[in-house]
Amino acid sequence: MRTPEPSAVRRGARTPLRAAALALCGAVLAGCGGGPDAAEALPQAADVDLAGGSLASDVDLEGASFRVSSKEFTESVILGKITVYALRAAGAEAEDMTGLMGSNILRSALESEEVDLYWEYAGTGWTQYLQRDERITGSQEQFEATAEADLEENGVEWMGPARFGNQYGIARAADAEGPAGEVDTLADLGPMVREHPDRASFCGAAEFMDREWEAFQEYYKAPFPVDGVYQMDLALNYVNVAKGDPCEFAEVFTTDARLKSLDLRVLEDPEGYFTTQLAALTAREETVEEHPELRDLAAELGDALTEDAIIELNGMVDLEGASTDQAALYFLQENGLIG
């Protein structure tokens, strides 16, 4: 598996990868009508009334203080920002510590009391923190199993959950040519990789490659050649698979707005290999026992956090140039949670 330098590209081509990716991103944003002008119409912190919505009347956290964090990718940061403003609307002090790098670092920060709250995905809890390898295909069933075991074994409570889940997918360019263009389902990958190893290339982010890659290849009998596998930042997966360089296939998240804007096709998953991992607000058990109102806050947020909502918020940031703060405030205001 390769971790490419900025200039690494497909065999035989030498166009700088980062320059190509940035050029494509710029073209996409221009085509979508995004950028600073679109972002200017979204709320700023100074424009909203945190005490003017349902959170202020429904949840009383006056005098409480929390440190809120998130992982580094867009969706996670947005969820963290939503929580920061929601807590402030409910009367609490909330320190913004969003953007930590990686699941294990963030979980360690929660357990060591460096942070108090962050949104996590049930599948990550099940495989990473609980070290379970049993596959649970139902999203609600997986959430409940994770929540029960994590509370019992580690004293971590899962609140909510949201009405959307983060789910891995494998995508290709919708107009991909050659053998890749004939792959429409995950089951099609194995035959294609075995018959055309010279066209079998894949881009994945570090967490997916560490957690899923070997088991995924084995399950679908899709042995990608080592020199055709690239580990890179998640954001580059989308732009690089869209242009087929350096990869014909890539790991994606199914709630990412770039799937539509870059005209990517997510391979069908009829066997349900990738389970929807419901998002939930996690905290240490003692934190929730001291402030049980957190359950009410998580329930209100979770009920409004639908799949359509999170795709829209991701698109505001990744495609339209909005800040994660603006996306969070927009969500809270649109749902009447703040004024």
Side-chain angles (χ1 to χ4, degrees):
M1 180 174 63
R2 299 179 180 182
T3 302
E5 298 298 325
S7 60
V9 293
R10 182 194 297 171
R11 297 177 290 279
R14 294 298 173 206
T15 304
L17 179 62
R18 187 174 298 275
L22 291 175
L24 181 55
C25 282
V28 170
L29 291 176
C32 291
D37 290 342
E40 284 177 3
L42 295 172
Q44 304 281 354
D47 302 329
V48 302
D49 176 13
L50 292 179
S54 63
L55 285 172
S57 58
D58 295 347
V59 183
D60 183 8
L61 286 166
E62 189 72 34
S65 180
F66 305 97
R67 293 156 298 180
V68 180
S69 196
S70 75
K71 303 177 193 183
E72 77 281 7
F73 61 92
T74 298
E75 181 172 293
S76 185
V77 176
I78 290 172
L79 291 172
K81 298 284 190 177
I82 287 172
T83 307
V84 167
Y85 288 114
L87 288 167
R88 292 172 182 171
E93 292 184 8
E95 182 179 354
D96 185 345
M97 297 177 64
T98 53
L100 292 186
M101 183 71 70
S103 297
N104 290 332
I105 290 175
L106 186 50
R107 172 66 176 226
S108 295
L110 181 72
E111 292 178 342
S112 64
E113 303 184 18
E114 296 176 71
V115 302
D116 300 308
L117 297 161
Y118 81 97
W119 288 82
E120 186 56 277
Y121 303 94
T124 301
W126 187 247
T127 59
Q128 292 293 98
Y129 312 141
L130 294 166
Q131 294 293 299
R132 302 292 205 271
D133 55 15
E134 175 191 355
R135 293 181 61 79
I136 301 177
T137 55
S139 59
Q140 185 64 30
E141 289 82 355
Q142 183 189 60
F143 168 76
E144 291 173 359
T146 299
E148 181 179 353
D150 209 11
L151 182 60
E152 180 179 342
E153 297 176 21
N154 302 309
V156 173
E157 182 162 340
W158 293 62
M159 296 173 287
R163 292 169 60 197
F164 83 93
N166 186 303
Q167 183 174 328
Y168 285 126
I170 307 298
R172 63 168 172 84
D175 61 354
E177 299 178 353
E182 299 176 7
V183 176
D184 295 321
T185 73
L186 294 180
D188 296 336
L189 263 180
M192 182 268 171
V193 170
R194 297 192 299 272
E195 294 170 18
H196 304 280
D198 59 315
R199 298 296 301 274
S201 51
F202 188 89
C203 291
E207 193 160 304
F208 178 86
M209 304 310 287
D210 290 341
R211 289 171 48 185
E212 302 281 350
W213 183 232
E214 293 301 325
F216 175 78
Q217 289 182 99
E218 182 177 350
Y219 184 89
Y220 283 107
K221 297 179 174 58
F224 280 77
V226 173
D227 64 350
V229 179
Y230 301 82
Q231 182 171 301
M232 56 184 59
D233 184 82
L234 177 66
L236 291 178
N237 286 355
Y238 296 86
V239 293
N240 289 334
V241 78
K243 57 192 176 67
D245 188 0
C247 49
E248 297 273 14
F249 302 95
E251 163 222 352
V252 296
F253 288 146
T254 56
T255 54
D256 199 299
R258 287 168 291 192
L259 295 174
K260 182 176 181 179
S261 68
L262 289 170
D263 195 21
L264 301 183
R265 177 165 186 162
V266 178
L267 303 186
E268 295 178 18
D269 183 10
E271 297 183 36
Y273 181 86
F274 293 120
T275 300
T276 299
Q277 306 177 35
L278 293 178
L281 187 61
T282 64
R284 293 181 304 281
E285 182 179 14
E286 59 267 26
T287 302
V288 182
E289 288 179 348
E290 185 177 355
H291 303 288
E293 300 87 356
L294 287 170
R295 297 189 184 106
D296 297 329
L297 181 138
E300 284 211 43
L301 296 180
D303 188 58
L305 282 165
T306 64
E307 183 173 275
D308 287 343
I310 200 67
I311 290 173
E312 180 182 21
L313 298 176
N314 287 336
M316 286 178 182
V317 176
D318 289 331
L319 303 179
E320 298 176 14
S323 70
T324 50
D325 289 274
Q326 287 178 302
L329 291 167
Y330 169 85
F331 166 81
L332 292 168
Q333 200 168 56
E334 284 293 296
N335 285 281
L337 297 167
I338 63 174

